[in-house]
């Protein structure tokens, strides 16, 4: 039956989130309804609120970095059952398209780059509020207490996982960590530069360190980010505001020939260019981890690099192979979600998590 619950609705571009009572229809065939327990606040949700996310339709329930428990399943669902802990996948894995079948990619053809994920695959919505249809976001809409997803956009995880931490494995952490480990394949002993030290950039720092980089140069215009970056493995911290010359020249002087790997985790044209120009000309690799939107976007910006195996990341976290807890700077109750972006925008948050 339909569930009434709380959700944060963005009624129009440029308007703050408002907490509403919404009705969530039961899952149809091949769909899963999940009770969301915790959701991280990612800068991408802020791009949605601003109306900068491509093909976004309002009103919409944002949120894509969540973790929860399966409440009910539609006909034909076999991979999960009620009571299972899951992480919604903002890049689905249909497992059948040419991209899913290629081991070098985790970009599924059913993702929003080819199909709007503002409605379920059958082009209808499961959300209504005050008699109006509300759109889904990336099929995840984790700012709702109950959300409905296609089965192939849900990953079952370890039943012992703490949902208020592993929600970060739905977006920010794998985007950054995977950019270093899987996309760049950072080699031991190498030199890396990481532009931007939000949740994504700090996860890049962790990935570079795990890969054995010997020098990790962390760059941010907010010096308050440096202590955490050092704690997670940065060897040098650079604030472009401390220099009059362009930052790529500073990095060239620090490294001689430039860095082996550079990562952009901000999403700005200027820093994309600077990160590219900081890379050594002979063999350097430049990875775009941040999504540049609106005016900042490049023609043909590549899809994000989310690490493929979310359940494996959960097991690795449980085995203490990396420290997600170090990324969590703020935890707020869901009622405060309208204020939950403030620490990120003020540059005070590494990652903020809201719990239902
Ligand atoms: P955040 O806002 O927490 O962090 C951004 C950091 O960049 C902050 O610490 C800023 O101080 C810093 N910064 C801003 N401007 C500059 C500058 N000119 N030079 C140096 N540092 C600067 O964001 P986040 O970590 O949540 O996300 C970062 C970007 O990545 C953002 O654009 C987001 O939309 C994108 C993203 N992409 C994916 C993906 O799948 N590709 C996933 C998650 C986030
Ligand atoms: Zn995100």
């Amino acid at each position: 039956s339909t569930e009434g619950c709380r959700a944060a609705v963005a009624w129009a571009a440029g308007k703050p989130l408002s907490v509403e009572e919404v009705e969530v229809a039961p899952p149809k065939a091949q769909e899963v309804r999940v009770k969301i327990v915790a959701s991280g606040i990612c800068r991408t949700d802020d791009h949605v609120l601003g109306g900068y996310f491509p093909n976004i339709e309002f009103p919409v329930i944002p949120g894509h970095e969540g973790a929860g428990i399966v409440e009910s399943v539609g006909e034909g669902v076999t991979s999960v059952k009620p009571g299972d802990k899951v992480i919604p996948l903002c890049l689905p894995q249909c497992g059948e398209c040419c991209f899913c079948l290629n081991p070098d990619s985790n970009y599924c053809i059913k993702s929003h780059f080819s199909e709007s994920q503002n409605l379920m695959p059958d082009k209808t919505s499961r959300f209504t509020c005050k008699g109006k249809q509300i759109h889904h976001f990336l099929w995840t809409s984790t700012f709702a207490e109950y959300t409905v997803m296609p089965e192939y956009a849900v990953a079952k995880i370890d039943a012992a996982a703490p949902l208020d931490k592993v929600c970060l494995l739905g977006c920010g952490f794998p985007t950054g960590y995977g950019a270093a480990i899987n996309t760049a394949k950072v080699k031991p002993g190498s030199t890396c530069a990481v532009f931007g030290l939000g949740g994504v950039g700090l996860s890049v720092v962790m990935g570079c360190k795990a890969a054995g980089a010997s020098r990790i140069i962390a760059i941010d215009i907010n010096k308050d980010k440096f202590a955490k970056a050092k704690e997670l493995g940065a060897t040098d911290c650079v604030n472009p505001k401390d220099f009059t010359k362009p930052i790529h020249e500073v990095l060239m002087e620090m490294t001689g020939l430039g860095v082996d790997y550079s990562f952009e985790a901000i999403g700005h044209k200027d820093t994309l260019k600077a990160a590219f120009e900081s890379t050594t000309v002979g063999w350097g690799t430049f990875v775009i981890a941040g999504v540049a939107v609106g005016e900042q976007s490049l023609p043909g910006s590549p899809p994000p690099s989310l690490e493929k195996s979310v359940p494996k990341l959960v097991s690795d976290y449980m085995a203490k192979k990396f420290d997600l807890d170090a990324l969590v700077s703020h935890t707020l109750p869901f009622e405060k979600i309208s204020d939950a972006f403030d620490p990120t925008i003020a540059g005070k948050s590494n990652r903020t998590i809201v719990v239902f």
Side-chain angles (χ1 to χ4, degrees):
S1 64
T2 297
E3 283 282 344
C5 72
R6 293 167 302 165
V9 177
W11 288 101
K15 293 267 160 44
L17 283 171
S18 79
V19 175
E20 308 280 4
E21 228 3 76
V22 300
E23 292 87 50
V24 187
K28 293 189 182 176
Q30 312 298 337
E31 294 178 359
V32 177
R33 188 161 65 183
V34 174
K35 186 177 195 317
I36 297 292
V37 171
S39 184
I41 300 288
C42 175
R43 199 66 183 217
T44 302
D45 294 309
D46 187 50
H47 298 328
V48 173
L49 296 183
Y52 306 123
F53 197 87
N55 312 321
I56 199 81
E57 293 201 44
F58 290 86
V60 63
I61 299 175
H64 62 282
E65 197 175 78
I69 298 168
V70 174
E71 177 265 345
S72 58
V73 299
E75 210 185 300
V77 169
T78 54
S79 62
V80 291
K81 57 179 189 318
D84 284 347
K85 283 190 180 174
V86 291
I87 289 183
L89 302 174
C90 52
L91 270 188
Q93 291 262 271
C94 77
E96 291 167 0
C97 70
C98 58
F99 290 160
C100 279
L101 291 173
N102 186 326
D104 293 336
S105 161
N106 60 356
Y107 168 78
C108 172
I109 240 163
K110 295 206 161 58
S111 78
H112 71 280
F113 295 95
S114 44
E115 176 184 342
S116 161
Q117 290 169 283
N118 266 181
L119 292 170
M120 293 300 283
D122 73 351
K123 309 294 175 206
T124 62
S125 168
R126 302 290 164 272
F127 294 121
T128 41
C129 178
K130 297 175 180 160
K132 282 208 180 70
Q133 172 184 281
I134 310 294
H135 290 90
H136 294 251
F137 173 58
L138 295 181
W139 293 335
T140 53
S141 292
T142 60
F143 292 170
E145 206 174 352
Y146 287 90
T147 189
V148 178
M149 281 163 278
E151 180 182 11
Y152 52 73
V154 176
K156 181 178 169 173
I157 59 163
D158 188 331
L163 299 177
D164 62 344
K165 301 291 186 309
V166 298
C167 58
L168 297 187
L169 299 178
C171 175
F173 182 80
T175 299
Y177 195 78
I181 305 267
N182 294 340
T183 310
K185 300 188 169 64
V186 167
K187 290 188 187 135
S190 57
T191 297
C192 303
V194 183
F195 287 75
L197 302 172
V200 176
L202 290 170
S203 302
V204 176
V205 170
M206 290 165 88
C208 294
K209 164 129 176 149
S214 55
R215 196 170 182 197
I216 302 169
I217 306 171
I219 299 121
D220 203 295
I221 49 175
N222 177 357
K223 63 176 171 20
D224 297 341
K225 298 279 180 163
F226 295 159
K228 182 58 78 174
K230 285 205 165 133
E231 179 193 321
L232 296 175
T235 54
D236 308 67
C237 291
V238 182
N239 185 346
K241 285 184 174 166
D242 293 342
F243 299 89
T244 48
K245 65 177 93 155
I247 187 66
H248 73 273
E249 287 180 22
V250 175
L251 289 181
M252 279 295 161
E253 278 168 24
M254 287 172 74
T255 55
L257 289 170
V259 299
D260 302 314
Y261 305 92
S262 72
F263 299 87
E264 207 271 2
I266 302 163
H268 284 208
K269 260 185 191 159
D270 294 349
T271 42
L272 283 164
K273 187 161 180 283
F276 177 65
E277 288 176 338
S278 305
T279 315
T280 183
V281 74
W283 54 78
T285 300
F286 162 51
V287 177
I288 301 174
V291 172
V293 293
E295 289 208 321
Q296 297 295 340
S297 68
L298 297 177
S301 275
S305 68
L306 253 165
E307 196 173 272
K308 196 165 207 149
S309 175
V310 168
K312 167 141 194 330
L313 279 177
V314 171
S315 319
D316 287 353
Y317 164 72
M318 301 295 283
K320 298 197 163 41
K321 291 194 183 156
F322 50 80
D323 182 12
L324 271 187
D325 305 29
L327 287 178
V328 182
S329 54
H330 299 68
T331 303
L332 298 171
F334 177 71
E335 291 66 37
K336 295 245 165 75
I337 192 160
S338 309
D339 308 324
F341 287 87
D342 296 353
T344 306
I345 290 159
K348 301 211 177 307
S349 169
N350 300 319
R351 224 26 167 202
T352 299
I353 290 176
V354 292
V355 286
F356 282 95

